[in-house]
Amino acid sequence: MKSAPSVVSAGMSRYYIGVDVGTASVRAALVTQDGHIKHTAEESIEIWEPCAEHYEQSSEDIWSKCCSTVKRVTRGVDVECVRGIGFDATCSLVALDQLFQPVAVNHTGERLPAGVRERNVVMWMDHRAAEQASRITACRHRVLRGVGGVMSPEMQPPKLLWLKENLRETCWREAAHFFDLPDFLSWKATGSLCRSLCTLVCKWTYSPSDGWDDSFWSAIGLEDLMENSYSRIGQQACCPGAPVGRGLTAAAAADLGLIQGTAVGASLIDAHAGGLGVMGADVTGHQLPCEDRPVSSRMALVCGTSSCHMAVSTQPLFVPGVWGPYLSAMLPGLWLSEGGQSATGRLLEHVLKGHAAFRQLEEQAERSGKHVYSSLNAHLESMSADAAQLEQLTARLHIWPDFHGNRSPLADQTSRGAVVGLTLSQTLDDLALLYLATLQAIALGTRHIIDAMRAAGHDITTLFLCGGLSKNALFVQTHANTTGLPVVLPEEREAVLLGAAVIGACASSDCSSIQEAMRRMSRIGRVVRPNPELESFYRRKYAVFLRLYDHQKECDALMEAEAV
């Protein structure tokens, strides 16, 4: 098999491949050296939900879809010109045995249907380990300071503890390797067990300077992971975008339809790839408050099934309820703080599909040839005289959006969603208002996160949005109006795929650093500015928003009080 050329001949194009493994699909893109996406492909991946709060996938299914999408985007392209490939994925947990075969993360003591064993991935949104996460938080170990003081069930230590306590004789005994999904992909591509600092630091409590903390793993009952110098969870780490191993192995190259030795960049969590795809754009001439200011004045908001809010700083800034600060987890030498909302796109889908008028909405959208969100946006416009009046239609309808708990800034997995202001109406008008109130609740949650980060010392002046929800014009405008900040949308709307390609470019040595690759490959598409007429409305709506949580806790306390 041919090896990847170290130099591309003059006149030949240079391409990079970005592969994004999201919650429900794998996407791949062929990207030019100046950041233009030439081809994309997408394929769905299987999700199993064996019981409430349990979500599982198959690493074999995921890798298969990575291969088929990469082959599709390189069809008709001279793969000699593909200089590097980068992977990003959700922060899901993968279990493999000593021979690197899948180990099931479900109960296997009984006779189960064919194919169950391959369900070896505990998904990021799986909350089976909520009780374990609470116990880890209660130990108050020093590493928790780096995750906002509270261990989330979406991180890997509680998931590992759940596996040990519930599948001790099966998964826990058989598994020789636990990977974060992004690291599984780079291992599958290169054969290297080196992990990315992005995953280890953000989801596993690893320290770039000190490595693993023995006292933490002993304190939470996972001291067996310390055996053989932590061989089950990672002995080596490198910065995102660093070249992994010797590039693609012969087997992986054959699977992907590429050339052996093609550079592979150390992987990223999917949201962080989105951050790379938007945060480095040149803003000169756009009259933005972040112009002539450091990158630390920018917040990347990656909004899809869930949302992630990322900002960097030159010094560590500790924010209660916000993950981090993580050194070099996204940009080398800078500290990353990461807020988030566990359900955003998923929440919108839940609210819409649960309404009696949803079928009518689908039929209307189908007749008009629009997406249901676009159809609802148009319907809201018909209900109001102008844009400012449109957003004020929800003056008496308020939502607390924690239908899947609160990730940031409260870090309260017991928080639940609430809707105040419902009537007996089940019309399309009613559904449109509920949709608008949900958009506003998500945006108010972003404001809540920004307020917490500013209080800790972050200087956030501009939002950079990407992800599926950023294609919804009303979602974007609502975020600008709610936060009072300008919102930048990238020229290349598939910013997560672009970010994955950025690390491929960095690994290829065509760029000297991630920062250089970001500047070269990302550009501003459009700026959405806040409507000053709505400042008073959203100031009052935000006050109501905060009270909804306070009232929920008051109600919980009343119900938990002993009967007199």
Side-chain angles (χ1 to χ4, degrees):
M1 178 176 287
K2 293 185 292 183
S3 296
S6 58
V7 177
V8 173
S9 302
M12 292 182 70
S13 299
R14 294 171 184 251
Y15 297 118
Y16 313 101
I17 293 174
V19 179
D20 165 47
V21 179
T23 299
S25 68
V26 173
R27 301 183 304 153
L30 184 71
V31 183
T32 64
Q33 62 188 56
D34 57 355
H36 291 290
I37 292 181
K38 285 184 64 71
H39 305 297
T40 63
E42 181 173 7
E43 294 192 22
S44 62
I45 46 181
E46 195 79 36
I47 298 174
W48 290 274
E49 187 180 358
C51 56
E53 304 291 357
H54 289 228
Y55 297 93
E56 300 166 0
Q57 289 181 316
S58 159
S59 63
E60 292 180 344
D61 176 43
I62 291 168
W63 178 251
S64 171
K65 301 303 170 55
C66 289
C67 296
S68 55
T69 53
V70 168
K71 286 178 176 176
R72 285 170 58 191
V73 299
T74 55
R75 192 174 296 150
V77 173
D78 182 356
V79 292
E80 292 270 0
C81 297
V82 175
R83 300 279 295 158
I85 183 170
F87 296 92
D88 75 73
T90 63
C91 48
S92 301
L93 179 67
V94 183
L96 301 179
D97 67 15
Q98 190 69 44
L99 298 176
F100 296 96
Q101 297 302 304
V103 176
V105 293
N106 41 55
H107 292 282
T108 57
E110 314 162 16
R111 289 185 61 84
L112 293 172
V116 168
R117 182 174 172 76
E118 72 171 6
R119 286 156 47 181
N120 65 316
V121 179
V122 182
M123 291 184 68
W124 68 269
M125 62 185 182
D126 185 303
H127 281 194
R128 69 179 70 182
E131 191 268 332
Q132 285 78 10
S134 296
R135 275 193 275 134
I136 294 173
T137 298
C139 80
R140 297 185 178 181
H141 194 277
R142 59 178 173 266
V143 302
L144 297 177
R145 192 168 180 235
V147 294
V150 178
M151 178 59 68
S152 167
E154 295 175 13
M155 292 184 173
Q156 308 304 6
K159 287 182 167 68
L160 291 165
L161 187 56
W162 187 94
L163 292 174
K164 179 178 180 178
E165 293 178 347
N166 292 272
L167 302 176
R168 182 185 293 269
E169 298 304 317
T170 52
C171 177
W172 192 253
R173 180 168 53 82
E174 295 174 24
H177 304 279
F178 292 107
F179 290 96
D180 218 286
L181 182 54
D183 291 321
F184 165 81
L185 296 172
S186 59
W187 164 77
K188 191 73 174 174
T190 67
S192 171
L193 291 173
C194 186
R195 266 68 162 187
S196 171
L197 283 175
C198 180
T199 56
L200 289 194
V201 174
C202 294
K203 305 300 176 186
W204 297 71
T205 75
Y206 184 86
S207 166
S209 57
D210 302 323
W212 297 112
D213 189 319
D214 293 353
S215 65
F216 170 70
W217 297 101
S218 295
I220 67 172
L222 288 176
E223 60 282 345
D224 32 354
L225 291 178
M226 296 159 52
E227 297 171 3
N228 194 24
S229 301
Y230 291 94
S231 64
R232 296 173 84 184
I233 60 175
Q235 298 172 313
Q236 295 177 289
C238 60
C239 287
V244 180
R246 297 182 179 180
L248 291 179
T249 63
D255 287 347
L256 294 161
L258 299 175
I259 293 176
Q260 181 180 352
T262 299
V264 178
S267 54
L268 287 165
I269 298 167
D270 53 352
H272 300 69
L276 292 189
V278 296
M279 288 183 76
D282 182 3
V283 299
T284 304
H286 289 273
Q287 289 78 52
L288 289 166
C290 65
E291 189 173 348
D292 300 323
R293 300 178 77 169
V295 70
S296 56
S297 65
R298 308 179 181 195
M299 171 179 273
L301 172 51
V302 184
C303 37
T305 304
S306 61
S307 290
C308 186
H309 307 67
M310 293 171 292
V312 295
S313 56
T314 56
Q315 299 296 322
L317 298 175
F318 293 88
V319 188
V322 170
W323 297 343
Y326 303 131
L327 179 61
S328 299
M330 185 168 72
L331 293 176
L334 293 178
W335 296 84
L336 172 68
S337 294
E338 180 186 343
Q341 295 162 294
S342 293
T344 47
R346 188 170 169 225
L347 174 61
L348 281 166
E349 181 180 345
H350 173 80
V351 168
L352 296 187
K353 289 186 174 180
H355 196 278
F358 179 67
R359 183 60 193 144
Q360 181 185 353
L361 169 65
E362 283 189 309
E363 292 171 352
Q364 178 176 294
E366 188 174 338
R367 285 195 302 270
S368 63
K370 296 178 179 178
H371 188 280
V372 290
Y373 292 163
S374 299
S375 184
L376 281 169
N377 293 349
H379 191 84
L380 286 165
E381 289 175 7
S382 73
M383 294 171 63
S384 56
D386 55 42
Q389 186 192 31
L390 185 156
E391 295 191 43
Q392 296 178 73
L393 291 171
T394 57
R396 298 191 63 189
L397 181 62
H398 309 282
I399 292 178
W400 180 256
D402 291 350
F403 286 54
H404 199 51
N406 185 283
R407 185 189 299 173
S408 302
L410 301 172
D412 181 3
Q413 290 303 315
T414 69
S415 180
R416 293 293 179 263
V419 183
V420 176
L422 292 175
T423 71
L424 292 175
S425 173
Q426 293 184 321
T427 65
L428 192 55
D429 283 1
D430 177 67
L431 175 55
L433 292 177
L434 198 60
Y435 159 75
L436 174 59
T438 305
L439 289 182
Q440 291 169 331
I442 293 168
L444 289 164
T446 291
R447 178 169 172 172
H448 199 192
I449 292 167
I450 292 172
D451 282 357
M453 295 178 72
R454 281 176 167 168
H458 282 277
D459 178 27
I460 297 165
T461 66
T462 311
L463 297 180
F464 287 71
L465 261 64
C466 66
L469 288 177
S470 71
K471 299 171 186 176
N472 182 333
L474 185 56
F475 179 90
V476 174
Q477 187 65 61
T478 301
H479 268 76
N481 293 339
T482 300
T483 63
L485 299 177
V487 174
V488 175
L489 298 173
E491 179 182 283
E492 181 47 70
R493 301 303 295 272
E494 300 296 349
V496 176
L497 282 168
L498 179 61
V502 162
I503 60 174
C506 190
S508 74
S509 299
D510 289 345
C511 299
S512 61
S513 66
I514 283 185
Q515 287 90 334
E516 180 192 339
M518 289 166 63
R519 287 192 297 270
R520 181 188 295 181
M521 298 174 72
S522 59
R523 285 168 298 280
I524 286 182
R526 188 164 65 94
V527 177
V528 177
R529 302 184 189 275
N531 184 344
E533 295 179 27
L534 289 167
E535 189 278 331
S536 173
F537 172 75
Y538 277 115
R539 177 168 38 81
R540 288 174 281 129
K541 197 163 181 68
Y542 185 48
V544 173
F545 177 82
L546 297 177
R547 287 194 186 186
L548 290 176
Y549 179 75
D550 293 339
H551 290 168
Q552 179 180 145
K553 292 299 150 181
E554 290 172 9
C555 293
D556 288 347
L558 284 171
M559 294 306 298
E560 291 169 4
E562 292 184 3
V564 178

